[in-house]
Amino acid sequence: MIITMSVDASNKEIERVIEKVKGFGYNTKLFQGEKKTVIHVWGVTDKERLMKRIEPLPGVEKLIPILHPFKLASREFHPEDTVVSIDGRSIGEKEITVIAGPCAVESEENLLEIAAIIKEAGAKFLRGGVFKPRTSPYSFQGLGEKGLEILARARERTGLLIVTEVLSEIDVPLVSQYVDIFQIGTRNMQNFPLLKTVGRFKNPVLLKRGMSATMEEWLMSAEYILSEGNPNVILCERGIRTFEKYTRNTLDISAVPVINHFSHLPLFIDPSHAAGDWRYVSALAKAGIAAGADGLLLEVHTDPTVALSDGKQSLKPKNFNQLMKEIKKIAEATGRTV
Ligand code: PEP
Ligand code: MN
């Protein structure tokens, strides 16, 4: 159950409502947004009684029974869009955020070269995996801590903020020291201990949709992070498994309006892992922005033919630059900027 308080409700009135609800033996959590104060109530067994007693109290606007299993991720609970603020940059506002870089950090020289290119084109965040979740244990697994050091140096040199995947609970404290945003990959979307762990850290979390997950399961995974106290979750649609074989995954563009309807969390599109082929990446990226996505996660490499992972789907600098120009036009057409 959610209790929304009227805009002019006083602190005293809010406290009184919480006290009354607790008197019924239920747990509460208070969320004070810019415009609205909302009280989340858990474990309600007698809705009617609660409504009858609480609704008439001064300052109460209305009581809303929650229809979905996700609560903290729900727009019912948090009507305003969440804006993730990080080091002077905001994600989820009018400005579209582009995170770009290689699939994996391969060397310092190569990463710095890519970082300079994406920065020049307007990206604000640099991506690069150092713990790679490869399908085969014989494929390149990433540089580990050495890769984190390289990412940190790229941040120092360019001012770009860093996004990298954290694969395991044990690595969370280490990765947290080096990077700005944790990425949780598709294969770990339901690794609940990992979700709970990142939920206890301050770094925002880019949570990719599981390749076979429903939107509700995805939002429940976000709920795991939010319920541990980390409010900064960014969702990322990266394509789901379907019968189609001409693309690596099928970008579920409908996730954009549906998630925006049900949730206040910012939503990104990763057209690289959806398409699996660089030739389709730009079209999907533009579709995502046109549909209302808050940002893009893109793989870019200076020489995709020698990339240690995902070269086939990586954009060359020239194509990335072109895409950035086109996105600007789509952003303007939809009342936003890049
Ligand atoms: C990645 O971003 O490099 C990655 C491994 O993504 P996903 O988890 O979506 O496959
Ligand atoms: Mn990749």
Side-chain angles (χ1 to χ4, degrees):
M1 185 78 81
I2 284 167
I3 303 169
T4 62
M5 302 297 293
S6 55
V7 195
D8 50 8
S10 67
N11 284 343
K12 237 187 175 165
E13 287 168 341
I14 296 168
E15 275 164 29
R16 179 146 176 251
V17 170
I18 292 175
E19 212 174 281
K20 279 259 176 201
V21 172
K22 283 190 173 158
F24 283 95
Y26 304 142
N27 291 322
T28 62
K29 197 161 185 177
L30 176 68
F31 288 83
Q32 278 176 309
E34 254 173 56
K35 292 185 199 132
K36 267 213 160 115
T37 296
V38 173
I39 301 162
H40 174 202
V41 187
W42 274 277
V44 178
T45 49
D46 191 345
K47 276 184 195 159
E48 273 172 31
R49 188 159 161 255
L50 187 74
M51 290 183 93
K52 224 158 107 193
R53 296 287 172 84
I54 303 295
E55 217 148 35
L57 293 179
V60 172
E61 186 183 65
K62 58 181 182 238
L63 271 75
I64 312 167
I66 299 240
L67 306 171
H68 307 286
F70 48 90
K71 295 178 173 58
L72 304 177
S74 163
R75 216 179 254 291
E76 289 175 306
F77 173 68
H78 188 300
E80 303 137 38
D81 285 340
T82 280
V83 174
V84 173
S85 298
I86 169 165
D87 227 351
R89 270 149 272 199
S90 302
I91 294 175
E93 274 188 320
K94 272 197 164 182
E95 188 180 341
I96 287 158
T97 306
V98 175
I99 305 172
C103 178
V105 175
E106 298 174 2
S107 70
E108 181 159 350
E109 193 193 1
N110 180 249
L111 188 74
L112 288 174
E113 195 185 354
I114 297 171
I117 291 164
I118 63 143
K119 185 182 174 184
E120 173 75 24
K124 304 268 165 39
F125 290 79
L126 175 67
R127 61 149 291 148
V130 300
F131 301 105
K132 293 307 299 175
R134 305 306 297 278
T135 305
S136 163
Y138 309 118
S139 302
F140 175 59
Q141 301 286 306
L143 295 180
E145 191 166 359
K146 187 173 162 237
L148 291 173
E149 286 163 8
I150 295 174
L151 283 169
R153 282 199 288 278
R155 184 188 201 275
E156 239 173 68
R157 292 269 188 99
T158 61
L160 291 165
L161 300 188
I162 305 296
V163 183
T164 206
E165 178 166 357
V166 57
L167 266 189
S168 123
E169 273 170 82
I170 314 164
D171 297 324
V172 174
L174 176 77
V175 175
S176 155
Q177 288 169 30
Y178 286 96
V179 308
D180 299 287
I181 299 183
F182 291 135
Q183 178 174 317
I184 300 289
T186 191
R187 296 159 187 83
N188 266 324
M189 189 207 81
Q190 285 188 316
N191 180 340
F192 300 120
L194 177 62
L195 299 178
K196 282 188 177 182
T197 306
V198 294
R200 292 185 209 115
F201 280 73
K202 288 225 160 61
N203 312 56
V205 182
L206 182 86
L207 176 65
K208 289 208 173 187
R209 180 179 183 179
M211 61 183 87
S212 302
T214 64
M215 293 189 223
E216 188 165 292
E217 286 163 341
W218 185 19
L219 289 170
M220 289 310 290
S221 292
E223 198 75 17
Y224 263 92
I225 301 168
L226 297 168
S227 62
E228 289 296 323
N230 187 340
N232 295 316
V233 176
I234 302 152
L235 299 166
C236 181
E237 160 64 39
R238 48 78 71 202
I240 50 174
R241 283 206 162 160
T242 67
F243 48 81
E244 183 49 64
K245 294 208 173 98
Y246 281 0
T247 49
R248 184 174 176 183
N249 293 282
T250 298
L251 182 74
D252 185 4
I253 201 78
S254 59
V256 182
V258 174
I259 292 292
N260 277 338
H261 172 67
F262 285 112
S263 180
H264 52 88
L265 297 171
L267 174 65
F268 275 47
I269 289 287
D270 170 356
S272 306
H273 290 86
D277 185 320
W278 69 270
R279 288 171 293 193
Y280 314 134
V281 167
S282 292
L284 298 183
K286 289 183 276 184
I289 295 303
D294 296 293
L296 294 170
L297 181 71
L298 289 161
E299 286 186 340
V300 176
H301 200 287
T302 40
D303 187 355
T305 57
V306 298
L308 295 179
S309 63
D310 286 349
K312 196 172 161 222
Q313 68 197 30
S314 299
L315 290 175
K316 285 186 188 160
K318 185 172 140 249
N319 296 320
F320 176 69
N321 290 341
Q322 176 63 24
L323 173 61
M324 289 297 281
K325 285 187 194 135
E326 292 174 10
I327 287 167
K328 264 188 196 125
K329 289 189 196 144
I330 296 175
E332 277 161 25
T334 55
R336 293 175 298 163
T337 57
V338 180

